Structure formats: C-alpha cells, structure tokens
Amino acid sequence: MSQVKKPEQAVKGVLLDIDGVVCVGPRALAGSLDAIAHIRELCVPLKFVTNTTRRPRRVIVEDLMRLGLEVATEDIFTPASIARNLLAQKNLAPLLIVHPDLREDFAGLPPGSVEAVVIGDAGDCFSYDNLNKSYRKLIHGAEFFALAKNRNFLDSDGELSLDAGPFVAALEYGSGKTATVLGKPSPAFFKLAVESMGRPKEHVVMIGDDAEADVGGAMAAGLQAILVRTGKYRPGQETHLPTPPTAVVADLKAAVEWMFG
C-alpha cells in the first residue's frame, strides 16, 4: 500500500485537504467519511486545509455538512481567511482579483491606506482588463499577494483546469515582482494550522492529492506528508519533489490505515 515504512514519529495531528481527497464536487470519495470518523474516534486533532479560492468558508462548511460531516468554521483554513487578517493588520486597501463568490470573505474590511493586489482563482474574472489593472498597480508600488499558486485543479467535468498560479506567474513576469503566497505551500499557512492543534509539527501529517502544494509544502515546513492517488494526482508526480513524501497510498482510507493500523 505505501512506498515507504511507517513514520518514526507518532501521528498526533492530521491536516486534511478537501477537494480530491475527501470528495470530488458533491460526491464523497469511497471510504473517506469512514476514514475521518476513525480519526475522530481516536481523538486525534483534525483540521481541514484547502487552497480553494472560489468558495467562501461558509460554503465550504455547508458542503461538508451535506456530506454528513460536522465541521466548525474555525477548523477550516483557507487562503482567503489568512488574507483578510493580513490585510486588516497591515492597513492595506486591496484590489481583489477573485471569484465573485469569494468576496464575502473580505466583506467589512476597514479602508486601508496602502494599495495591494490580491489574486485568487478568479475564473471568468481573469479578464485582460482586470489583469492589466493589477499590473499597473504593481508597477506603481502596490504589494502583491497570491491566495494560492496552484498550477491546476480537478474541475467538475473530471478534467484539469487552470488554477490561479499561471495568472500569478504572468503578473510576476510583467511587473518584476514576486507574489507572497498565502495558501499552500506557504510555510506560514501550515504553521498556523499546526499551531491551532497545539501539537509539534513533526507529529502532524498532511494528507493531500497535490504533490507540490500539499505534500511538498508540508515536507518543507517540517511536517510529515502523505500523497494520495486520488483527485488531481497523476502518476509519477512524487518523483519531482525535492524530498520524497512520507508515504504514497491509494486514498484517504488507506492513509488512515497506514497511520493508525
């Protein structure tokens, strides 16, 4: 089942990606709900960490509830929730290039005094006009934040679609500025999620289907990481990582069996 031996550090906390690991669209993947129930039965802290930037946290909670999962808002970590706090702390006035549905996560921000460009997976809002507005603000000194920099995501039709990363890269090339990434694989993103569990990072395992953002990011942040062969996973992706995953397994159910027996 796994490509490597059991982890040397006991698992005392789990970070779990959602899309492609727990579910694909409105459908739970086989065995995933039972696997989550088993983690909870063991009283192991569990947090959901997602790079989705098309849905606000409220909708993510509702979607998980439809699957039969009881999840509190504070147990879900998204790039938008981190971005909102950062914008408020730094007194920034953002130009939001995000999906219209995500704007509710930024509602009520106090007016800032310093401009910033914030890019998420904006979908059809990735127009030339919006990208050019962003470019102009960047070359005039605005700060630059990417909610995520994923290359692609598994779309509702079962095919891969462009995520925010290629558009962020275009603006980086045009402006000469490098975006600060707020979601996975940012070490700060993983640090916040781990700190919320009160467990040492070496005892926390990240489970995801994205070799770069989920697994590579977690390993670089000092966590253990399991790559599952579901969702957006494609054969051989793990071989391109600078550090091999702690394990590569079939799915979430297999990951839980591998961790806890």
Side-chain angles (χ1 to χ4, degrees):
M1 176 171 57
S2 167
Q3 292 182 350
V4 293
K5 63 182 181 179
K6 295 282 186 177
E8 295 180 1
Q9 300 286 356
V11 176
K12 298 182 179 179
V14 176
L15 301 181
L16 185 58
D17 187 29
I18 299 173
D19 297 309
V21 178
V22 177
C23 59
V24 173
R27 176 179 59 86
L29 289 172
S32 65
L33 300 185
D34 288 340
I36 293 170
H38 187 48
I39 295 172
R40 288 174 165 171
E41 287 169 1
L42 295 172
C43 297
V44 175
L46 171 66
K47 302 292 181 180
F48 294 86
V49 291
T50 176
N51 260 15
T52 184
T53 58
R54 287 196 176 191
R55 293 175 292 162
R57 278 210 293 182
R58 173 187 60 80
V59 172
I60 295 171
V61 170
E62 292 172 355
D63 289 345
L64 291 174
M65 289 181 66
R66 289 190 192 96
L67 295 177
L69 293 171
E70 291 293 333
V71 180
T73 302
E74 58 268 23
D75 289 334
I76 296 175
F77 287 80
T78 69
S81 63
I82 292 171
R84 181 192 171 88
N85 291 337
L86 181 65
L87 292 169
Q89 290 168 6
K90 297 187 69 173
N91 193 33
L92 297 175
L95 170 63
L96 297 172
I97 308 299
V98 299
H99 194 277
D101 291 346
L102 193 69
R103 287 185 173 273
E104 72 175 68
D105 277 357
F106 295 93
L109 270 173
S113 59
V114 179
E115 289 193 321
V117 172
V118 179
I119 305 287
D121 177 11
D124 291 340
C125 292
F126 278 132
S127 64
Y128 176 83
D129 184 52
N130 280 335
L131 289 171
N132 199 45
K133 285 178 182 177
S134 302
Y135 165 72
R136 289 179 173 180
K137 286 189 178 293
L138 291 173
I139 63 174
H140 286 104
E143 295 197 36
F144 190 11
F145 299 100
L147 296 183
K149 207 175 179 182
N150 298 57
R151 299 173 190 269
N152 52 48
F153 66 95
L154 187 66
D155 217 328
S156 57
D157 61 359
E159 294 289 338
L160 296 178
S161 290
L162 286 175
D163 209 323
F167 298 94
V168 174
L171 285 171
E172 287 180 328
Y173 175 76
S175 68
K177 286 189 170 184
T178 300
T180 298
V181 180
L182 301 179
K184 298 176 291 184
S186 166
F189 184 91
F190 288 106
K191 183 174 183 288
L192 285 171
V194 170
E195 286 178 347
S196 73
M197 294 189 289
R199 298 292 189 271
K201 64 183 180 181
E202 61 269 17
H203 289 279
V204 175
V205 173
M206 172 70 211
I207 304 173
D209 65 327
D210 188 314
E212 288 182 288
D214 294 336
V215 173
M219 299 290 287
L223 285 66
Q224 301 178 74
I226 298 175
L227 181 63
V228 293
R229 300 189 189 99
T230 53
K232 68 193 295 185
Y233 173 81
R234 296 296 182 268
Q237 289 178 333
E238 64 273 19
T239 63
H240 301 294
L241 294 173
T243 303
T246 310
V248 182
V249 301
D251 52 23
L252 178 55
K253 181 180 179 182
V256 172
E257 290 174 352
W258 182 84
M259 289 187 297
F260 303 116

